[in-house]
Amino acid sequence: MSLDTLSLLLAALTLSIGVWGFREWAVGALDRRDLASRSALDEVERRANSPLARLDALIRPTDIGTKIEQRLRAAGLKMKISVFMMIVAVACVVAVVFLWRALAPIFGILAAVGVVAGIFGYLKRQEERRKEAFTAQLPELARVLSNATQAGLALPTAIDMAAEELDDPAGSELRITARAMQLGQPFEEAVADLRDRMPSREIGVLISTLLVASRSGGALVTALRNISETLDSRKETRREVKTILGESTATAYALLGMGIGSFFLVNALMPGSIQNMTESTVGFIIILVALALFTVGFLAVLRMTKIDF
């Protein structure tokens, strides 16, 4: 199969997926017009029978579907598993076609790997941002729980009240915990699930204090107030450290961008040079070494600027 034929097939596949996505959007737009005249049961049934819902039902029970769903929820992205996988597939096809034609076939293959790694890297970054936002709300959470318990409320009731007062992500996570306790889950298991969803040292200290208070009692109000003051100090320290390391982190991404951009620059100055290098054993090895060096440099800078609090 020639290069042009393969490129046409990949382009046709991308166009087909795009047309299908546009059709789903158009059908949804038309259906929303008569949403007011539908009953809630009819709307639920219609959504359950949609192609994306059926695809979700097939993917969700699998191991990869379960992991993707957990990561999407942890990142705070309200997206169906099928939609996420379609985005990954379309992005891979577009990257393969573009770099295959612009540089060389080997770069098309590497582009697919890079796109998948980039998307899941973005997903991990969103998880970290949401966890950091939750950690930043912990001082306020400790104050709300302290005031509620001082007023004589039980811990489950105090958590339910905190879920209503705090913004997301703390509000949504606490609502999950409060609803689990309302459905009969023990307090210890519910808060342990919260710690598993948002793991950090700060939430570990807060949950441990709540668990000790629920089992043996004690001066919970005083402990929560002390924790609130400590968490405020840690939040300021984390903010200062992130500000100091921001320049180094930007350098890592600039290094990666320079590495990728250098291939396009060389190919623009000498058209076809990258293609010729991939057809030569020595040139191919040079390209692999260059890619490896830029990747190692990027990962090394990120690792050096990563500090565990």
Side-chain angles (χ1 to χ4, degrees), residues 93-196:
V93 172
V94 171
V96 167
V97 172
F98 174 72
L99 290 183
W100 189 303
R101 301 286 295 181
L103 296 178
I106 183 62
F107 284 92
I109 298 173
L110 293 176
V113 178
V115 165
V116 174
I119 291 178
F120 279 94
Y122 169 78
L123 198 61
K124 181 176 178 58
R125 180 55 183 159
Q126 289 299 112
E127 294 176 19
E128 293 296 328
R129 286 183 176 179
R130 192 166 186 267
K131 187 174 72 173
E132 290 175 2
F134 181 82
T135 302
Q137 291 178 289
L138 287 180
E140 181 64 22
L141 171 60
R143 281 191 287 269
V144 172
L145 294 178
S146 173
N147 295 334
T149 52
Q150 187 177 22
L153 299 178
L155 279 175
T157 306
I159 290 177
D160 191 11
M161 185 180 71
E164 298 299 327
E165 292 188 7
L166 296 178
D167 297 329
D168 289 339
S172 59
E173 292 296 331
L174 291 174
R175 276 190 289 272
I176 295 175
T177 303
R179 184 168 301 176
M181 289 187 291
Q182 291 171 1
L183 294 176
Q185 187 177 21
F187 176 79
E188 291 80 1
E189 294 181 8
V191 293
D193 289 341
L194 174 62
R195 180 173 51 195
D196 293 338

